[in-house]
């Protein structure tokens, strides 16, 4: 398995278990000092000169949010040294393929959930659901959102993770095996279980539900297939949905 830049750094440090990923030690090794202060308008920023940097992280965030912010800024330190950047760390991938934010987000994911540690533990999860996401998030000390993206991208199961707000779809990620033609709808279908969680009084799904693929994909052939969906609320007006492609004909 080919290692990414962040993964090579972790292996150079002798890291063989998720709990050994000590971001303060990794930052120190990279010449970066961490500070935690209240920040308005951004989650973190980095200022560096020569081989020394100061990373300031919003102290109001959760512990896992802070960890992602530090990892994100270390990505900027490696890839964009010499620049001063103010970041909105959202733990999702911006659409611009070559944007500095996407590069830093990719580095952060590789640093916090390196494939050489993540994939073996993902394969140990017997089912593809939010229970598996939660178990992995606890192992790697990462947010549910970032972990769900990583699990989908790990190819544990042909799948997608989709985020919706009340204004419509905000972002999504898909497994490499899911063809590009399966592009999720902009808005939630009223027949979906997710709709009742976001707009109604339904509680988080404890298990995936079977549903027609046409509830999630606006394609002429979607009505021929079934898939499973499971949604949880991540914020007051935001939900996260795991879509599992259970019909292999969708992958042809």
């Amino acid at each position: 398995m080919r290692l990414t830049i962040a993964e090579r750094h972790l292996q150079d440090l002798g890291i063989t278990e998720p709990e050994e990923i000590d971001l303060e030690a990794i930052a120190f090794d990279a010449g970066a000092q961490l500070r935690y202060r209240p920040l308005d308008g951004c989650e973190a920023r980095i200022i560096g000169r020569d081989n020394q940097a100061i990373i300031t992280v919003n102290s109001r965030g959760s512990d896992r949010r802070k960890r992602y912010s530090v990892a994100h800024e270390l990505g900027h330190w490696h890839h964009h040294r010499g620049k001063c950047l103010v970041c909105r760390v959202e733990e999702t991938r911006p659409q611009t393929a070559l944007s500095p934010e996407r590069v830093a987000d990719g580095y952060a994911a590789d640093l916090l959930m390196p494939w050489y540690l993540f994939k073996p533990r993902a394969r140990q999860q017997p089912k593809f659901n939010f229970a598996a996401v939660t178990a992995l998030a606890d192992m790697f000390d990462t947010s549910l959102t970032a972990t769900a993206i990583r699990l989908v991208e790990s190819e544990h199961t042909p799948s997608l993770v989709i985020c919706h707000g009340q204004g419509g779809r905000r972002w999504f990620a898909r497994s490499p095996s899911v063809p590009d033609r399966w592009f999720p709808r902009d808005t939630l279908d009223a027949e979906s279980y997710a709709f009742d969680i976001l707009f109604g009084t339904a509680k988080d799904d404890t298990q995936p539900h079977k549903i027609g693929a046409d509830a999630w994909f606006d394609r002429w052939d979607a009505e021929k297939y079934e898939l499973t969906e499971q949604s949880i609320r991540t914020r007051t007006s935001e939900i996260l949905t795991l879509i599992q492609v259970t019909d292999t004909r969708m992958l042809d």
Side-chain angles (χ1 to χ4, degrees), residues 195-215:
F195 186 93
D196 290 334
I197 295 175
L198 182 60
F199 295 105
T201 58
K203 297 182 179 179
D204 292 353
D205 291 329
T206 57
Q207 295 293 333
H209 304 280
K210 287 185 178 181
I211 193 169
D214 55 341

Side-chain angles (χ1 to χ4, degrees), residues 9-30:
H9 189 192
L10 292 175
Q11 291 207 343
D12 288 344
L13 294 172
I15 291 173
T16 59
E17 298 293 336
E19 59 268 23
E20 296 172 357
I21 303 175
D22 183 336
L23 290 187
E24 289 199 6
I26 293 170
F28 179 83
D29 184 70

Side-chain angles (χ1 to χ4, degrees), residues 112-233:
L112 294 174
M113 296 171 284
W115 289 126
Y116 73 91
L117 297 180
F118 189 89
K119 284 186 176 182
R121 288 158 180 79
R123 287 193 292 266
Q124 292 172 1
Q125 300 302 315
K127 296 181 179 180
F128 178 81
N129 53 26
F130 275 111
V133 174
T134 300
L136 290 165
D138 290 342
M139 288 181 203
F140 288 87
D141 200 12
T142 47
S143 72
L144 288 180
T145 298
T147 310
I149 293 172
R150 200 66 163 172
L151 181 60
V152 165
E153 292 178 343
S154 76
E155 201 66 274
H156 174 283
T157 299
S159 56
L160 299 92
V161 55
I162 310 171
C163 176
H164 280 91
Q166 294 188 346
R169 190 189 68 241
R170 293 182 173 172
W171 55 265
F172 74 96
R174 63 161 70 89
S175 299
S177 62
V178 177
D180 292 348
R181 68 177 180 273
W182 296 109
F183 198 94
R185 293 175 178 269
D186 290 337
T187 57
L188 284 174
D189 189 293
E191 297 300 316
S192 68
Y193 295 91
F195 186 93
D196 290 334
I197 295 175
L198 182 60
F199 295 105
T201 58
K203 297 182 179 179
D204 292 353
D205 291 329
T206 57
Q207 295 293 333
H209 304 280
K210 287 185 178 181
I211 193 169
D214 55 341
W216 286 93
F217 301 103
D218 188 15
R219 281 182 52 88
W220 64 271
D221 56 345
E223 63 182 13
K224 299 190 297 184
Y225 309 113
E226 273 193 341
L227 44 75
T228 68
E229 69 165 91
Q230 184 187 10
S231 298
I232 62 169
R233 190 179 296 277

